[in-house]
């Protein structure tokens, strides 16, 4: 559905009459002809609201809600019911029977309200003549829209275009004496609505951006914020909207309407949500800037602001034919069919009014019918009781009157008979069951502060009403459960994807908390257990308001962690709420100076302590994180003061905890394996390069593959004896761990054999035998090995053996590049090798460059860097240090291709200073 709201102005007719075919815009004559109004719409349009609805069945309910909220916002409560009935029938014809989108346009003028419903059905029979009986029969499923328009609307009509059909109707406002909006009879004092000793009316002004611009003293008293704290903040930051998204007006839309009345909650400075009844009025200042003035009272004092509903507030209504109709029969159709919360709230309000009670409540049964869950109440602290559960049959605090009607004349005589009313001051109560086909689906009750208020007669009246509403409640409940299940599946799929996307332990912990807050809980804490001998450790804390995180973390760190019980399911953990209560009590006592110390020293810490206590003072549950038959942690979910979890939310959290536990354990195992792998790989790398007098040495090493520090390429520079140094660079066949194993063998064997005083060929021959002795694990390798001995004249003498490896390149000072050795057989293939060493002298300023084939075989498509390309790059390095030469070679290799390297690379540069 898409909607738009445009206040003020005169809206021209987008369909000029001259564009319609003559036979469609002419007057229709004859008895019973269609009532088409051909008079021009000259009234000034003062407001306009538009919406488009998809061709699905639920759009009819959404259209009803849209029209109801729009007219309620305009202050036209007297015509809402007629407008909703006509809109419902016309939208049904469009989206259900015609199967097209339906466009609804509401126009407000001084004459009344005009509502236009258009569909996009291209083919239809155009009813030019005939009686209204031909438009639709009452026995047909559809087609009654025009009959209803003719019977209810003051003016109505039908307009056609080649692609659209539009039915419009206009409802006039009832005449009232000047200065009178609504009035009611005088009532005895005992029948007047209850209010506190002083009624506080919060006056809040909202500017055009939705930010608070004015905040009076009563608002500060009701919600705990000073004007300086909230000025400039959006009202949406404080408002807790109670309606199901998509089924009713939201707070942002309500602030744009010219007039609106309704209920929502304001989250106070202490973290609690105060249910309020609000009256909004859209105004503008002398500069023409629009703003909204909001009047708010506590919800149980709504009579101060609430506009009385149309019609007598009697227990029964009389129809036009004189027959009495139960008031619930009119009420049942008010909420949208899929708005369970709205249906339940209206039910308890209507039940309270019907029996003239002080409060009312409604509980729904769980699937196994062993418990009842509080879902709606009026006149009671609903935030404290919402979603609380009580047993039906047995156990402490049982709700024994659930399956049969019951009247309690005085609850003081039967303590605990109705657990929901404990401590509320209610004395008498009548409760009746909600049943569908003999199955218990809920319980409805009305209570009063006086004793002896109800008898069996009131119980029968309430039972009759409950029987009429039970089926609608059960239908809406099943619809809500289906939506919750679909939402749960989507949530779990997304959660699984996110958890599977990382193997980092810290990131997994953060994801666990972020997925639960605020979707499942107000705050979350994750405990982890390293091993069976370790105690649980508080690893992560998250709250929907970041300001509370440090306080919750401090509070939880002062109490023992929950026991790591492997039993599946959520269990209540009372320690945080108790600790929060004690902390709040101590802070309050210190603030009153009851501890004997100076008050000013602790006053600065009172606010955060009380706020933290309120944030964690509700229900707290613990779910074990079990993976591979071991408890590896606990997921703790919490609610603010006096709030409870729904069973559906706990079941969803249990499913999430199982997935999160496996992801966390996988991250732990991955971290352990990675740490072991990195430790082993680091042991294969040589230590720091030795300092050689008169010779600069630089190495750059890159192992292919994510997380690899060592691959099949290796290097080493080490002292031998008498001022001589050995150096080597090699490449084992392949990459990864198997190649790294041969790398370690080769590097350590080279050092050991070289220090035994063997010549270069003898060292490589013995290394060749050691590789062949590995059998099936052996791998051939190419190796460049040499011994360097600095000379007194500043040069350096090198003895080099190149066993199958890319030839080393010598860069002279004049920029010429030449090979510094000849190729010989590689190692690990043949048993008998005849190797020899070559002597090379490096003059001052000369550079010897040694690389592995990962450098020369760097590819981009069909191009390859090759030996010639490497030599070309080296010719540009004249005069550079060894480190600069190695860096330039690496940059050239990386820039040669855009893809990540697929082979290990090693670069060894030595320059005689």
């Amino acid at each position: 559905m898409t909607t738009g709201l445009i206040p003020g102005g005169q809206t021209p007719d987008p369909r000029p009459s001259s564009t319609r075919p003559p036979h469609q815009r002419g007057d229709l004559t004859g008895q019973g002809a269609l009532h088409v109004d051909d008079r021009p719409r000259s009234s000034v349009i003062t407001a306009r609201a538009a919406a488009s609805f998809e061709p699905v069945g639920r759009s009819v309910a959404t259209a009803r809600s849209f029209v109801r909220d729009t007219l309620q916002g305009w202050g036209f409560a007297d015509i809402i019911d007629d407008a909703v009935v006509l809109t419902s029938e016309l939208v049904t014809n469009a989206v259900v029977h015609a199967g097209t989108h339906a466009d609804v346009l509401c126009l407000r003028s001084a004459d009344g309200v005009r509502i236009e419903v258009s569909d996009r059905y291209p083919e239809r029979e155009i009813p030019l003549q005939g009686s209204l009986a031909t438009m639709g029969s009452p026995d047909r499923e559809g087609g009654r829209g025009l009959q209803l328009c003719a019977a209810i609307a003051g003016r109505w009509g039908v307009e056609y275009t080649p692609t659209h059909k539009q039915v419009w109707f206009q409802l006039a406002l009832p005449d009232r004496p000047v200065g009178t909006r609504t009035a009611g009879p005088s009532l005895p004092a005992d029948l007047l609505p209850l209010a506190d000793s002083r009624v506080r009316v919060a006056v809040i002004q909202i500017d055009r951006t939705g930010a608070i611009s004015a905040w009076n003293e009563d608002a500060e008293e009701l919600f705990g914020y000073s004007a300086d704290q909230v000025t400039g903040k959006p009202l949406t930051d404080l408002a807790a909207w109670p309606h199901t998204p998509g089924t009713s007006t939201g707070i942002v839309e309500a602030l744009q309407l010219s007039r609106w009345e309704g209920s929502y909650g304001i989250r106070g400075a202490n973290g609690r949500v105060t249910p309020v009844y609000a009256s909004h009025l859209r105004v503008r200042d002398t500069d023409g800037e629009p703003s909204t003035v909001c009047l708010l009272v506590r919800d149980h004092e709504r009579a101060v602001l609430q506009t009385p509903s149309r019609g007598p507030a009697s227990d029964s209504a009389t129809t036009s034919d004189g027959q009495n109709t139960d008031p619930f029969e009119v009420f049942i159709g008010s909420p949208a069919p899929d708005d369970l919360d709205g249906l339940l709230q209206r039910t308890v309000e209507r039940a309270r009014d019907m029996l003239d009670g002080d409060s009312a409540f409604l509980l729904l049964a769980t699937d196994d019918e062993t418990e009842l869950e509080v879902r709606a109440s009026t006149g009671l602290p609903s935030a404290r009781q919402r979603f609380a559960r009580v047993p039906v049959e047995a156990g402490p605090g049982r709700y024994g009157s659930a399956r049969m009607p019951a009247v309690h004349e005085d609850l003081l005589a039967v303590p605990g008979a109705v657990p929901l009313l404990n401590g509320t001051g209610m004395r008498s109560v009548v409760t009746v069951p909600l049943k569908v086909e003999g199955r218990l689906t809920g319980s409805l009750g009305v209570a009063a502060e006086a004793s002896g208020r109800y008898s069996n007669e009131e119980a029968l009246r309430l039972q009759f009403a409950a029987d009429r509403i039970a089926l609608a409640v059960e239908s809406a409940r099943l619809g809500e459960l289906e939506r919750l299940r679909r939402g749960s599946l989507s949530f779990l799929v997304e959660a699984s994807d996110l958890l599977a996307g990382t193997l980092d332990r810290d990131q997994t912990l953060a994801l666990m908390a972020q997925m639960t807050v605020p979707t499942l809980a107000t705050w979350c804490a994750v405990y982890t257990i390293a091993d069976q001998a370790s105690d649980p450790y508080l690893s992560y804390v998250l709250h929907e308001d970041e300001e509370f995180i440090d306080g919750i973390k401090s509070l939880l760190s002062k109490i023992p962690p929950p026991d790591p019980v492997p039993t599946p399911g959520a269990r209540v953990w009372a320690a945080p709420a108790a600790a929060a209560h004690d902390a709040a009590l101590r802070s309050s006592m210190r603030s009153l100076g009851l501890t004997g110390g100076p008050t000013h020293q602790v006053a600065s810490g009172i606010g955060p302590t009380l706020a933290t206590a309120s944030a964690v003072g509700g229900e707290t549950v613990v779910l074990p994180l079990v993976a591979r038959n071991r408890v590896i942690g606990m997921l703790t979910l919490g609610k603010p003061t006096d709030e409870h979890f729904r069973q559906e939310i706990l079941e969803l959290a249990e499913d999430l905890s199982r997935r999160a536990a496996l992801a966390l354990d996988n991250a732990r195992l991955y971290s352990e394996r990675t740490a072991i792998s990195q430790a082993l790989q680091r042991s294969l790398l040589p230590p720091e390069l030795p300092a050689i007098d008169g010779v600069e040495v630089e190495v750059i090493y890159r192992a292919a593959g994510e997380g690899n520090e060592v691959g099949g390429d290796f290097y080493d520079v080490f002292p031998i004896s008498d001022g001589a140094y050995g150096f080597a660079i090699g490449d084992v066949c392949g990459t990864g761990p198997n190649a790294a194993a041969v790398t370690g063998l080769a590097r350590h064997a080279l050092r050991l054999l070289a220090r035994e005083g063997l010549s270069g060929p003898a060292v490589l021959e013995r290394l060749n035998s050691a590789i062949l002795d590995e059998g099936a694990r052996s791998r051939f390798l190419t190796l460049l090995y040499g011994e360097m001995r600095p000379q007194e004249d500043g040069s350096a003498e090198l003895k080099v053996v190149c066993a199958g490896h890319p030839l080393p390149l010598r860069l002279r000072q004049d920029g010429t590049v030449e090979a510094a050795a000849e190729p010989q057989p590689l190692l690990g293939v043949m048993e008998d090798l005849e190797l020899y060493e070559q002597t090379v002298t490096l003059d001052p300023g000369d550079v010897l460059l040694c690389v592995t084939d990962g450098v020369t075989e760097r590819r981009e498509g069909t191009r390859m860097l090759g030996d010639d390309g490497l030599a070309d790059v080296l010719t540009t390095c004249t005069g550079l240090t060894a480190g600069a030469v190695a860096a330039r070679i690496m940059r050239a290799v990386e820039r040669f291709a855009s893809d990540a390297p697929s082979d290990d690379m090693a670069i060894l540069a030595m320059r005689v200073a």
Side-chain angles (χ1 to χ4, degrees), residues 223-247:
F223 309 124
Y225 300 105
S226 64
D228 295 338
Q229 290 178 295
V230 297
T231 300
K233 290 186 177 181
L235 181 62
T236 52
D237 289 354
L238 307 179
W241 198 254
H243 301 297
T244 303
T247 62

Side-chain angles (χ1 to χ4, degrees), residues 67 78 249 392 410 422 549 605 641 650 658-659 745 774:
V67 173
D78 295 293
T249 307
V392 174
D410 192 350
N422 291 342
I549 294 178
T641 300
L650 294 179
R658 287 194 290 266
R659 290 164 170 79
L745 170 65
E774 290 292 310

Side-chain angles (χ1 to χ4, degrees), residues 748-779:
H748 289 92
L750 282 176
R751 286 197 171 208
L752 179 63
L753 295 173
R755 288 171 177 171
E756 289 294 327
L758 300 176
S759 63
V763 169
L764 267 60
E765 289 172 359
R766 284 168 173 74
L767 176 60
N768 179 64
S769 299
I771 294 173
L772 293 176
D773 289 343
E774 290 292 310
R777 296 183 299 175
S778 66
R779 289 170 174 259

